[in-house]
Amino acid sequence: MSKKASAPAGQAVNAEAWVDDHGDFLFRYALLRLNNRQVAEDLVQDTFLAALSSIQKFKAASSLRTWFVSILKRKIIDYYRKHAHEEETDSEGVGKKAFGQDGHWIEENGPQDWGAHPEQALNKSEFNEILRRCVSYLKNKAALAFTMKELDEMDSQEICKELKISSSNLWVLLHRARARLRECLESNWFGIKK
Amino acid sequence: MIKIVMPLMDKFTPTCEIVTRRLSESMDHKLPLRVRLQVNLHLMFCKFCARYRDQLLAIQKMLRNFDPSLSEVHLSEETITRIKNSLKDHNCKP
């Protein structure tokens, strides 16, 4: 028999249904930003527990999912802040060498032709998986900055405030993230398919 | 043609390495006019950097239209049970 907590409106809350309805969504959200299954699972669990504890604060006007995401977002940032010092040093040597000594593209490693409408690759589920994986390969700090900017569409100043970095740090992180992501997509999709 | 253009390009525009950095920055904040002009001049002659710019824009478009529900990633049954149990326990607390 499932237990229920009471919601502000006096309606019974079945917290287990939350897991069925929102578990996968929240897990994907966390995994994309943290690239660590165990941590992502833990944070999803923490999110549901936190939500259950503060169910009284939930205003029925906004959706449950939006509320869960806001809790999870906060937990992801807190996790990053706590573990920032454990961050691996960014290995610039990974991947093909893009530029020669003179700062120009090395001919064989220069960006290839992706065709007229590369965004249409999204129509293929295979591609979605590759995009997801390429984003998840980004390192923690770069991954967070990048997903905040491009997926959550947060303002640069806001991101700097949350991650406690300067704007020039942010530009560097975003540049590296974009360069890596571009290279990953080219190696795994656009460079192969014609 | 390349032999004439490349040295000119080197003299008046930044290197490809710098240009790729500026292209990324231009997506986050407005570049000073002088820098923008130099970058645009470089893009006229450098097919790789021109592609790089198009590709960064394409990636941005893709991420805006990215649908996470199409993902093959799921919580395992084990994890779902574990989370549900922890919620039940929580409810049992006085």
Side-chain angles (χ1 to χ4, degrees):
Chain A
M1 192 189 90
S2 50
K3 304 283 178 186
K4 300 186 199 287
S6 49
Q11 290 170 358
V13 161
N14 184 350
E16 285 169 58
W18 292 353
V19 185
D20 294 325
D21 297 341
H22 305 284
D24 278 348
F25 179 85
L26 293 177
F27 179 58
R28 286 165 191 157
Y29 187 96
L31 194 59
L32 194 60
R33 289 154 175 80
L34 293 165
N35 194 26
N36 182 319
R37 253 198 115 94
Q38 189 56 59
V39 174
E41 286 178 6
D42 290 347
L43 293 189
V44 170
Q45 180 168 316
D46 290 350
T47 297
F48 286 134
L49 286 169
L52 197 53
S53 300
S54 59
I55 188 70
Q56 308 301 325
K57 291 195 193 132
F58 173 59
K59 294 172 171 53
S62 77
S63 80
L64 258 183
R65 183 170 285 192
T66 311
W67 184 47
F68 291 149
V69 168
S70 66
I71 298 173
L72 178 56
K73 241 173 145 167
R74 174 55 39 200
K75 289 193 180 293
I76 290 172
I77 291 172
D78 290 344
Y79 175 82
Y80 160 71
R81 281 192 187 153
K82 210 161 147 207
H83 293 89
H85 61 279
E86 292 165 14
E87 177 91 348
E88 296 167 43
T89 40
D90 193 20
S91 41
E92 282 297 341
V94 174
K96 300 182 288 189
K97 190 155 150 50
F99 304 105
Q101 287 259 7
D102 59 356
H104 291 300
W105 286 101
I106 292 175
E107 187 82 23
E108 313 84 71
N109 297 338
Q112 298 177 46
D113 185 359
W114 286 12
H117 297 285
E119 333 74 66
Q120 287 178 0
L122 276 180
N123 294 332
K124 309 245 162 66
S125 59
E126 287 174 288
F127 177 75
N128 268 277
E129 193 50 33
I130 285 170
L131 178 57
R132 191 199 61 77
R133 260 194 288 137
C134 284
V135 172
S136 73
Y137 290 154
L138 299 173
K139 295 275 189 287
N140 286 338
K141 193 151 70 170
L144 253 192
F146 183 74
T147 54
M148 282 174 158
K149 184 90 215 299
E150 302 293 355
L151 288 175
D152 301 332
E153 293 181 44
M154 284 169 66
D155 183 74
S156 297
Q157 276 184 324
E158 234 190 304
I159 299 174
C160 287
K161 198 167 133 235
E162 288 291 1
L163 299 184
K164 299 199 161 120
I165 55 178
S166 67
S167 38
S168 49
N169 277 170
L170 180 60
W171 312 146
V172 170
L173 285 178
L174 291 175
H175 166 54
R176 288 203 191 132
R178 289 178 177 129
R180 293 245 160 85
L181 186 54
R182 193 209 68 81
E183 199 195 330
C184 185
L185 289 177
E186 191 165 271
S187 305
N188 292 292
W189 185 267
F190 295 105
I192 309 167
K193 316 270 173 176
K194 286 291 170 220
Chain B
M1 174 64 172
I2 298 274
K3 285 200 157 63
I4 300 169
V5 170
M6 286 291 283
L8 277 178
M9 214 173 72
D10 281 346
K11 230 186 175 136
F12 295 114
T13 74
T15 63
C16 298
E17 195 163 9
I18 294 173
V19 166
T20 56
R21 206 181 334 143
R22 297 278 176 253
L23 287 171
S24 174
E25 284 172 23
S26 70
M27 296 174 92
D28 306 320
H29 67 96
K30 197 165 181 182
L31 296 175
L33 181 63
R34 186 175 57 87
V35 177
R36 252 185 292 149
L37 289 174
Q38 286 179 331
V39 168
N40 287 336
L41 185 59
H42 182 101
L43 293 178
M44 279 173 64
F45 297 107
C46 181
K47 76 168 187 238
F48 285 140
C49 287
R51 282 181 186 161
Y52 192 89
R53 177 214 36 211
D54 293 342
Q55 290 165 7
L56 284 200
L57 288 171
I59 291 171
Q60 191 177 56
K61 252 197 228 172
M62 289 172 201
L63 290 171
R64 287 195 181 147
N65 294 323
F66 179 63
D67 182 359
S69 69
L70 294 178
S71 173
E72 292 162 10
V73 164
H74 297 281
L75 285 170
S76 64
E77 284 306 319
E78 201 179 83
T79 305
I80 290 174
T81 308
R82 180 162 45 91
I83 297 178
K84 286 184 178 178
N85 286 338
S86 73
L87 290 171
K88 271 193 221 147
D89 292 343
H90 183 275
N91 261 332
C92 286
K93 290 197 173 81

